[in-house]
Amino acid sequence: MDDFMIRPAEPAQLGAVAELRWQWILEGGDQPVTTRGEFVRHFVDWAAEHAGSHRCMVVVRDGAVIGMAWLAVVQRVPTPSALRRASGDLQCVYVIPGERDSGVGGRLVEAVLSRARELGLERVTVHSSPRAIPAYARRGFASSPRLLHTHVSRADSYP
């Protein structure tokens, strides 16, 4: 029996999700450009503003949020054969260090993919760290010669 739950984040949990994002950046050695409190407030406001396009799933154990993953849904241009189209991008998958390599992250990704299927998305992409590529591959992600990208600006230059 699992001792954790995976479910959509509740508004009251977004502060804890922001704390996970803060922790992730510190683990990576990056330097925050703001205070922790200011970031948490900004993050919670951002999540509320983008609730229609960005859906957060959380892993909860004993009332504590121990993991998160976001599904960004992008509407696609209609075609004569499909008037409503959308795709998804799996973003910010994070599990606290003590829970990694336990299967929790894989179950979280599976929950997000299940939600993507419920929404009728055409595809889900992910930009992965090298360490996580095998985990995504086990869940059906594969390289595609048709999906290309280019860097057009620095991430911090967006208004």
Side-chain angles (χ1 to χ4, degrees), residues 117-133:
R117 283 188 285 279
E118 290 170 6
L119 293 170
L121 303 185
E122 292 179 10
R123 74 178 62 82
V124 175
T125 58
V126 66
H127 180 207
S128 179
S129 69
R131 180 184 184 276
I133 290 172

Side-chain angles (χ1 to χ4, degrees), residues 51-65:
S53 62
H54 289 71
R55 291 156 171 90
C56 181
M57 299 290 287
V58 292
V59 181
V60 180
R61 175 180 284 134
D62 298 325
V65 177

Side-chain angles (χ1 to χ4, degrees), residues 65-142:
V65 177
I66 64 168
M68 68 173 171
W70 291 79
L71 177 63
V73 177
V74 178
Q75 299 300 313
R76 299 195 45 145
V77 176
T79 70
S81 60
L83 300 178
R84 295 179 52 113
R85 303 171 61 215
S87 61
D89 189 50
L90 179 58
Q91 300 177 353
C92 296
V93 178
Y94 179 84
V95 175
I96 62 172
E99 299 291 337
R100 293 180 190 154
D101 300 318
S102 69
V104 172
R107 296 273 303 276
L108 178 57
V109 170
E110 289 168 5
V112 172
L113 293 176
S114 177
R115 182 69 178 127
R117 283 188 285 279
E118 290 170 6
L119 293 170
L121 303 185
E122 292 179 10
R123 74 178 62 82
V124 175
T125 58
V126 66
H127 180 207
S128 179
S129 69
R131 180 184 184 276
I133 290 172
Y136 290 118
R138 286 191 298 274
R139 279 147 191 93
F141 286 89

